[in-house]
Amino acid sequence: MLWTESVPQFGLVAGALAFLLVAYAAAGEPLLGWRAFARLRRTRESDPGALLRFYRLAIGVHLGWAVVIALIVLLAPGVEPAHLGLRAPVAWLPLLAAVVGFAVALIILRLMTRERASAGAPAGNMPLPPIADPGQALTVLAPRGSRERSTAAALAVTAGVSEELLYRGLLVAFGVALGLPVWAAAAAACLLFALAHLYQGWWGLVGPGLLGALFMVVYLGTGSLLIPIAAHVVLELRSLLLSGSGRRHRARAL
């Protein structure tokens, strides 16, 4: 694997910041995402500003990650941007296998996110049923007006950049710095990435978990995080703005 050219050294202050981010990724993000999404599901139809607040909260969290990661790079005596994958690809051959893997994954995602008949919203204060399929999560998250769409586009960018920096770049580098093999650090990072999407139900573990593993393979194979970042942003834009649910809600708003 091309990533293992050198072992990063975090030092005390940068190591403490990295540990806090790992702890947040392991516990804080799954809990915060679960609670924020549950609130959004309850209030989406009755509160016109609910989705915008959800978007802005997520953007703020992503920007916070980016700031902390930038501080880590600045404060760590032996962590360079290249340790987080911030460099040009040093190999292209792994992309051939990745293209096939992405194609298969996208076909699977397309089949899993096909339009299904919408169930009526629960009446009164009845508890909402669990997310039964990915289309339900996309329906809740899909923007309906121009303001929501522009904020969703900003969210797609911050999610693509910040999630890759945290779950692929920092977590692998910090795990290796602690003495883990690259494969073990990568597997742990993929697990945490899947758990961060648990608010979407079983789909959060399967769909984003699969894509996260593919992004990790591309990262470790090419030595660069730039390609996973670009692919992640594109997929986020598609999910939020170009999904069937998004198109349906935009049609309703017109």
Side-chain angles (χ1 to χ4, degrees):
M1 293 181 181
L2 296 171
W3 186 89
T4 60
E5 295 169 350
S6 63
V7 176
Q9 303 295 326
F10 279 76
L12 181 60
V13 177
L17 290 176
F19 179 81
L20 289 177
L21 272 184
V22 172
Y24 176 81
E29 180 62 15
L31 179 60
L32 176 64
W34 185 281
R35 295 183 63 181
F37 185 72
R39 185 183 306 114
L40 175 63
R41 288 185 71 198
R42 290 194 303 269
T43 60
R44 178 70 177 103
E45 299 301 329
S46 60
D47 184 355
L51 186 60
L52 279 175
R53 287 196 298 273
F54 181 88
Y55 284 164
R56 290 165 181 165
L57 173 63
I59 290 172
V61 170
H62 295 154
L63 293 178
W65 294 347
V67 169
V68 175
I69 291 171
L71 285 174
I72 289 172
V73 174
L74 290 174
L75 296 174
V79 175
E80 302 174 359
H83 286 128
L84 304 184
L86 299 179
R87 62 176 178 177
V90 295
W92 293 96
L93 187 60
L95 285 180
L96 297 177
V99 168
V100 176
F102 276 119
V104 173
L106 289 177
I107 292 173
I108 295 174
L109 293 178
R110 178 59 180 170
L111 293 174
M112 296 173 69
T113 56
R114 287 181 304 181
E115 294 290 346
R116 301 186 181 185
S118 304
N125 295 322
M126 291 292 291
L128 291 168
I131 292 290
D133 63 73
Q136 293 182 17
L138 291 177
T139 298
V140 176
L141 294 172
R144 302 181 186 179
S146 59
R147 191 176 181 187
E148 289 182 352
R149 290 197 296 273
S150 62
T151 309
L155 173 61
V157 174
T158 61
V161 174
S162 298
E163 288 185 1
E164 292 303 312
L165 284 174
L166 176 61
Y167 290 99
R168 248 67 69 189
L170 180 70
L171 293 188
V172 172
F174 190 56
V176 171
L178 293 177
L180 293 176
V182 175
W183 67 265
C190 288
L191 176 61
L192 292 180
F193 182 72
L195 289 176
H197 296 82
L198 188 60
Y199 66 89
Q200 298 180 25
W202 67 267
W203 156 248
L205 294 177
V206 176
L210 174 61
L211 288 176
L214 287 171
F215 290 149
M216 185 67 77
V217 170
V218 174
Y219 170 42
L220 297 181
T222 63
S224 173
L225 201 61
L226 301 183
I227 296 172
I229 286 175
H232 197 150
V233 170
V234 169
L235 289 176
E236 290 283 354
L237 286 170
R238 180 201 174 278
S239 296
L240 289 173
L241 300 179
L242 301 178
S243 67
S245 299
R247 286 197 299 269
R248 184 174 70 251
H249 286 309
R250 287 199 296 275
R252 288 178 180 173
L254 291 178

